[in-house]
Amino acid sequence: HAADKGYLAISWTNTAGGNYSEGGNWQGGVPPGPSDGALFTNTATHTVTVDASVTNGASVFTASSGETTVSIPGAVQWVHTNNFFVGSSNQSKASVVLTGGGTLVAKWAKISGATNSAASLTLETGTYIFTNSANTGVDVGCANNNGNSSGTLVLADSGVLLMVTNGTGIALGGNGDSGTYSNNYGKMIMRGGTIRTTGLRLPFGNTSSADILIETGTIFNAGNTAVTIGQGGGPGTGTVVLASSGASLISTGSSASVSMVVGDKKFTVGTILASNGVVQSKDMIIGNLGTGWVSVENDANLMVLSNFQIGSVTGGLGTLNGVGRMTMSDSATMIVSNNMQIPWNGTAHGLGTGVLVMASQNALLTVSNTLTVGANFTNLGSGTMIISNGTVRPRVLSVGQFSDGL
């Protein structure tokens, strides 16, 4: 809670709603200041209006029901010197809507961070900035230990700008400061707007799961942490769905060796379903230690600005299985600006398996350099390309790059 960070917790008491600046709406008759935490526990559905720019220490929403709408008018800034938590008490079902077109700033946002919590945060038109440099800036569904939390983040319209400016970005289905958080679920729905982040991981906890639905809008990762879909430390699943031509998932700025990975850990499954829209990455692996599947359909475009691998065990040791599968149908287009390998076993102990299926005469794959099928250091991995229809245009085609390649 707010007091956990050394702040005095001051509770909102007016169940009918009102202005933030009016002392009568707060316990003790004074609104929270820079050394105070704002605590919202009321189950009544009501609206709090931040009627003038203000700074307080933290804000915490712990209601067991109801909905709190916080209106931040266009010129107003609601600044937190620390955190913004929704659903941070056990069994909380807090529902918060931020609206009005103004600006909210905090270090860390956490949605459903307590055992058996099921909280939600909806962002309407406005700018929302999270600056935590220690770990993640936004966690969704992130209760400790065997948490059983379920968190939902919604970007409701085209006027939303969500920015995570430092640290490792956004984590769904687990807490960004520890992969040991387990049995959690995180969900994000984009109905418009833009996310600019320094990383994106789903799920990030053991035996957890996470989903992102991009109906329309853009997720842009330009940070030092990759987009990893299917990352948790135990059995878990992560899925991203792009549902329209206005949906985009872009990762170009990671200083790590790979900026987008689908199926990144043993016993995890990562999936991208692009029924339309654009997926773009500096480099990309499908199935690295875990299982990854990418489906590109209709008029969707997949663009990889450097190297692309399907089925990999890059960075792994011992007997590991990376399984990657990609399907292209309808008028889907894929452009790889350097090399493409099916699979790529970057260790002498790998069992990577990669499969590419093209099933439409209008599907097009262009590889600017070499397309290799069977790039294995051992004879235990395999690469398969099935073209029942469509066009493949590599500069060089290599089948069985190494003596043991299959």
Side-chain angles (χ1 to χ4, degrees):
H1 300 314
D4 293 340
K5 295 295 182 179
Y7 297 112
L8 174 64
I10 299 178
S11 296
W12 177 270
T13 58
N14 188 347
T15 58
N19 289 333
Y20 185 102
S21 66
E22 294 180 9
N25 293 324
W26 297 94
Q27 180 185 26
V30 178
S35 299
D36 304 318
L39 181 60
F40 299 87
T41 62
N42 294 325
T43 58
T45 295
H46 61 289
T47 297
V48 178
T49 300
V50 183
D51 50 316
S53 293
V54 65
T55 297
N56 63 279
S59 290
V60 178
F61 298 79
T62 62
S64 59
S65 63
E67 182 175 273
T68 300
T69 297
V70 181
S71 177
I72 311 169
V76 170
Q77 293 188 351
W78 187 15
V79 178
H80 300 73
T81 59
N82 216 290
N83 302 323
F84 185 90
F85 288 170
V86 179
S88 60
S89 64
N90 293 345
Q91 301 181 358
S92 171
K93 293 180 174 58
S95 176
V96 177
V97 178
L98 301 179
T99 190
T103 300
L104 180 142
V105 179
K107 284 186 177 180
W108 185 18
K110 183 187 290 188
I111 305 162
S112 283
T115 301
N116 295 320
S117 58
S120 66
L121 174 63
T122 299
L123 305 179
E124 297 180 349
T125 296
T127 300
Y128 308 94
I129 303 171
F130 301 96
T131 63
N132 188 18
S133 60
N135 296 293
T136 46
V138 176
D139 288 328
V140 184
C142 51
N144 196 359
N145 298 323
N146 188 18
N148 294 309
S149 70
S150 175
T152 302
L153 173 64
V154 179
L155 279 69
D157 58 59
S158 61
V160 177
L161 174 59
L162 171 59
M163 300 177 64
V164 181
T165 60
N166 291 296
T168 54
I170 300 171
L172 287 79
N175 191 312
D177 65 2
S178 173
T180 62
Y181 289 40
S182 60
N183 295 322
N184 294 300
Y185 175 66
K187 178 170 67 175
M188 182 162 66
I189 301 171
M190 292 188 70
R191 300 191 175 109
T194 300
I195 296 174
R196 293 184 175 272
T197 183
T198 53
L200 176 63
R201 294 174 288 181
L202 64 150
F204 196 63
N206 299 331
T207 59
S208 296
S209 60
D211 297 307
I212 296 177
L213 171 61
I214 310 175
E215 296 178 2
T216 184
T218 298
I219 299 176
F220 181 77
N221 174 44
N224 293 328
T225 301
V227 171
T228 51
I229 302 166
Q231 191 194 8
T237 60
T239 302
V240 177
V241 176
L242 290 80
S244 76
S245 60
S248 300
L249 174 63
I250 301 170
S251 183
T252 61
S254 174
S255 64
S257 58
V258 181
S259 58
M260 187 179 296
V261 183
V262 184
D264 190 44
K265 296 292 184 182
K266 194 174 183 180
F267 305 125
T268 63
V269 178
T271 304
I272 296 178
L273 300 176
S275 62
N276 227 314
V278 174
V279 178
Q280 178 179 315
S281 183
K282 184 186 73 173
D283 33 35
M284 186 172 184
I285 294 176
I286 303 174
N288 182 53
L289 309 182
T291 299
W293 177 43
V294 174
S295 177
V296 186
E297 306 169 357
N298 298 312
D299 294 318
N301 293 286
L302 173 61
M303 293 179 284
V304 181
L305 305 181
S306 185
N307 297 317
F308 184 29
Q309 299 157 3
I310 302 177
S312 174
V313 288
T314 300
L317 296 174
T319 303
L320 299 167
N321 296 280
V323 179
R325 179 182 175 90
M326 179 169 179
T327 60
M328 298 178 65
S329 59
D330 305 307
S331 296
T333 300
M334 179 165 63
I335 299 172
V336 180
S337 297
N338 197 11
N339 298 311
M340 180 173 177
Q341 293 109 1
I342 311 172
W344 176 254
N345 290 327
T347 170
H349 305 282
L351 291 83
T353 301
V355 178
L356 170 64
V357 178
M358 299 180 67
S360 170
Q361 65 178 351
N362 295 319
L364 174 62
L365 166 60
T366 301
V367 181
S368 297
N369 202 347
T370 301
L371 169 59
T372 302
V373 182
N376 297 288
F377 285 111
T378 75
N379 61 4
L380 298 175
S382 65
T384 304
M385 184 164 62
I386 301 172
I387 308 173
S388 61
N389 222 323
T391 302
V392 179
R393 294 175 180 168
R395 187 178 71 85
V396 177
L397 175 62
S398 175
V399 179
Q401 180 177 355
F402 300 101
S403 59
D404 291 331
L406 298 176

